[in-house]
Amino acid sequence: MSTATLAKGIEETLDGPIGYDVQRVREDFPILTQKVHGKPLVYLDNANTTQKPRQVIDALATYYSEYNSNVHRASHLLGERATEAYEGGRAKVQRFLNASRFEEIVFVRNATEGVNLVAQTFGRKYVKEGDEILISAMEHHANIVPWQLLCAEKGATLRVIPINDAGELLLDEYEKLLSPRTKLVGITQMSNALGTVNPVKEMIATAHRHGVPVLVDGAQSAYHMAVDVQDMDCDFFVFSGHKLYGPTGIGILYGKSEHLENMPPFMGGGDMIKTVTFEETTFGDPPYRFEAGTPHIAGSIGLGAAVDYLTGLGMANIAAYERDLMAYGTAALSEVPGLRMMGTAKHKASVYSFLLDGIHPNDAGELLDRQGIAVRVGQHCAHPVLQRFGVTATVRASLACYNTREEIDALVRALHKVRELMGA
Ligand code: PLP
C-alpha cells in the first residue's frame, strides 16, 4: 500500500490512535518479518537506530541504479537529476521542520556532527574566557563533549541544569543558572536514557529573555513528534537521519539564518567557496559554506524518502499511536516483579530504561536476544545521567511507529523467562 493511501485511510478514520493501522505500517518494513535465534524478531532498539521502510530502501536503490552522479558540478543529465534529488531532500526537511528558509537546512553526518559544527563555528566565534555554556544533566555525550572541548579551548565553564528523581529538569534552577555569562543553552528535546520530553519551547523563551541562544538536540524527538522550529523558536536544531527511518551518515543542522550567515566555515574544501586564490579564499553562503566536499547524496535522497513516509503517516498520528503503546507498556512492565524503571517523568515518550533486581543488564540483554527481543543495554552514551541515578547500566527497550502491543507482551513474557533462567 502506498504511503499516500495509508495516510488517507488514517485521516478518514482517525479517532485517537484507533485509525492507525500498525499492521499495514509493518508491511513497509521488510526487516521485521525475519526470525532471530529461531524466534520472530521483536525490534525494540529504536532509540539506537530505527529500521527502514521499503520506500527509503527503494529510493536509495533507484539513485544508485538509475542516476548516480555527483551534484552541483556535472554538466550532464544524470548530474542534473542527482542535484535535483539531493536538494529536493533539503526542501523536504525544510518543510518537515517548518523552517522558514531552505538555506537554514545544513547537511551533516549526524546529530553529533551538527552539535560539533555549532561548537566549532558559532562557539569559537562568540565564546570567550569566563563565559558559560549551559546544558542539562540528561544530555547524550553528543551534547556534552563538544561543549567541554570548546570550554577547555576558551577557558569557559560548562554548567549543568539538574534533574529530579523522576528525571525531570528543575526549571527554577535552570532560570537561576542563566546569567550574562551564558553564551548558549544546549538541551535535548527528549532524553535517550530516560525518555523524558523536555518543555523546550518554554525553556527557549526563558533563555531568549536573557538574550541567550538555544541549541535543541532533536535526535530522539524528531521521529516521535511533530517538530516546528519556528514555533519552538530554537536557534539551532539537530537530528540524525538514521533514527528517523532514513540512512546512516546523514543528519541535519537547522540554524536560523541570522546565525548561519555570521558563522565561519566548519571545514574547508570544494563546494563551500565562492573564489579561491593562493592568497585568499572567499566562502559560499549558507548552507553550502558548511558543506565541504562531495556530500552524502544518497543520504539526502533517502532522508527525503523517510520524511515523505513520515509525512504520509502523519507525525501527529504516530505520536498518538506511540503514546497509547507507551502507556500500555508502562502498565505491563510494572507487573514484572523486581523491575525498576529509571525515568518516570510525567512527560515521557517511547523509552523504557530499567533494571531487574539481582540481574546484570548484560545478562538480561543476552537472554532477551535469545528470545528474539532486540534491546540495548549499557550506559546509552549518557554516563552522567546514569551516575545521577547511581547505576552503571540499564536495559533499554524503545519504541517506534511499527511496534505493537503484542511485541510488548512478548517483551514481558521474555522478562519473566529471564528472571526464571537467572533464578531471580
Ligand atoms: N542525542 C541524543 C539524545 C541521542 O540519543 C543520540 C544518539 O543516540 C545522539 C544525540 C547522537 O546521535 P548520532 O550518534 O546519530 O550522532
Side-chain angles (χ1 to χ4, degrees):
M1 162 141 334
S2 80
T3 318
T5 322
L6 187 54
K8 197 158 168 279
I10 288 168
E11 277 160 21
E12 279 165 3
T13 55
L14 185 72
D15 177 16
I18 295 155
Y20 186 91
D21 188 343
V22 70
Q23 291 307 330
R24 284 198 290 179
V25 172
R26 289 179 71 81
E27 284 168 18
D28 289 328
F29 291 81
I31 207 169
L32 297 178
T33 55
Q34 71 179 284
K35 291 192 166 173
V36 294
H37 302 301
K39 305 275 169 31
L41 170 67
V42 175
Y43 187 79
L44 295 172
D45 193 18
N46 295 292
N48 215 346
T49 198
T50 52
Q51 299 302 342
K52 316 306 168 201
R54 199 180 302 282
Q55 290 80 344
V56 168
I57 299 166
D58 288 351
L60 296 174
T62 305
Y63 165 64
Y64 281 124
S65 55
E66 292 181 17
Y67 61 100
N68 172 56
S69 246
N70 212 330
V71 292
H72 299 154
R73 55 187 90 164
S75 58
H76 52 78
L77 186 64
L78 296 192
E80 269 172 38
R81 276 190 71 190
T83 303
E84 211 172 284
Y86 170 74
E87 293 298 347
R90 196 191 306 272
K92 287 174 186 181
V93 172
Q94 180 201 347
R95 285 194 293 276
F96 185 68
L97 296 180
N98 193 32
S100 61
R101 300 184 60 201
F102 178 82
E103 293 78 8
E104 294 179 323
I105 305 299
V106 181
F107 284 123
V108 287
R109 280 188 304 147
N110 45 37
T112 303
E113 189 170 275
V115 179
N116 277 278
L117 193 159
V118 176
Q120 293 301 315
T121 58
F122 183 91
R124 269 196 169 152
K125 182 166 175 181
Y126 296 114
V127 175
K128 307 269 182 293
E129 192 176 347
D131 286 343
E132 294 177 356
I133 305 284
L134 185 53
I135 60 170
S136 89
M138 66 174 84
E139 297 308 314
H140 185 281
H141 297 165
N143 202 24
I144 301 174
V145 184
W147 305 118
Q148 273 174 337
L149 291 171
L150 178 71
C151 287
E153 183 185 319
K154 294 289 186 173
T157 305
L158 192 64
R159 308 293 300 270
V160 181
I161 311 160
I163 57 178
N164 63 20
D165 290 342
E168 294 160 326
L169 292 176
L170 299 180
L171 295 177
D172 290 349
E173 298 300 318
Y174 165 57
E175 179 120 39
K176 281 187 221 150
L177 283 162
L178 285 162
S179 81
R181 288 184 299 276
T182 318
K183 286 294 163 316
L184 185 123
V185 171
I187 34 167
T188 190
Q189 187 170 16
M190 179 180 153
S191 158
N192 66 316
L194 304 170
T196 308
V197 177
N198 291 318
V200 287
K201 187 174 169 182
E202 292 74 10
M203 293 178 75
I204 291 165
T206 306
H208 285 176
R209 279 200 298 280
H210 291 259
V212 181
V214 181
L215 175 143
V216 174
D217 176 355
Q220 289 301 335
S221 56
Y223 64 106
H224 291 304
M225 56 195 81
V227 171
D228 182 332
V229 290
Q230 291 188 72
D231 180 59
M232 198 190 287
D233 200 25
C234 54
D235 296 272
F236 301 102
F237 185 91
V238 298
F239 74 87
S240 296
H242 70 95
K243 293 191 201 282
L244 198 117
Y245 309 97
T248 51
I250 187 87
I252 296 296
L253 163 65
Y254 156 83
K256 281 184 179 168
S257 284
E258 68 196 71
H259 297 309
L260 294 182
E261 276 160 14
N262 292 310
M263 280 156 53
F266 179 41
M267 292 193 289
D271 240 25
M272 50 76 72
I273 52 89
K274 276 192 182 134
T275 61
V276 179
T277 66
F278 285 118
E279 289 70 38
E280 195 196 16
T281 292
T282 57
F283 305 119
D285 294 324
Y288 306 107
R289 185 187 303 164
F290 307 104
E291 297 178 357
T294 298
H296 189 1
I297 303 162
S300 165
I301 293 167
L303 179 56
V307 163
D308 281 345
Y309 183 77
L310 292 177
T311 308
L313 292 181
M315 288 310 295
N317 296 329
I318 293 173
Y321 175 73
E322 290 186 10
R323 208 166 27 245
D324 179 70
L325 191 59
M326 179 74 191
Y328 180 82
T330 303
L333 289 169
S334 73
E335 301 290 313
V336 177
L339 185 146
R340 178 157 68 93
M341 192 67 73
M342 192 183 82
T344 49
K346 191 155 166 260
H347 299 290
K348 188 181 161 177
S350 302
V351 169
Y352 309 107
S353 202
F354 57 86
L355 289 153
L356 291 172
D357 258 0
I359 301 173
H360 194 281
N362 289 351
D363 294 331
E366 198 180 319
L367 293 172
L368 287 173
D369 179 49
R370 293 270 144 203
Q371 298 176 75
I373 319 267
V375 295
R376 180 169 175 186
V377 296
Q379 306 208 349
H380 319 299
C381 298
H383 289 189
V385 75
L386 269 80
Q387 284 157 16
R388 160 68 177 77
F389 284 90
V391 302
T392 51
T394 67
V395 179
R396 184 184 69 185
S398 48
L399 306 174
C401 69
Y402 40 67
N403 289 122
T404 62
R405 288 184 173 207
E406 291 71 31
E407 289 182 311
I408 301 273
D409 295 342
L411 170 67
V412 169
R413 273 196 309 276
L415 287 170
H416 282 291
K417 181 94 183 164
V418 168
R419 293 189 72 246
E420 194 185 306
L421 290 169
M422 297 298 293

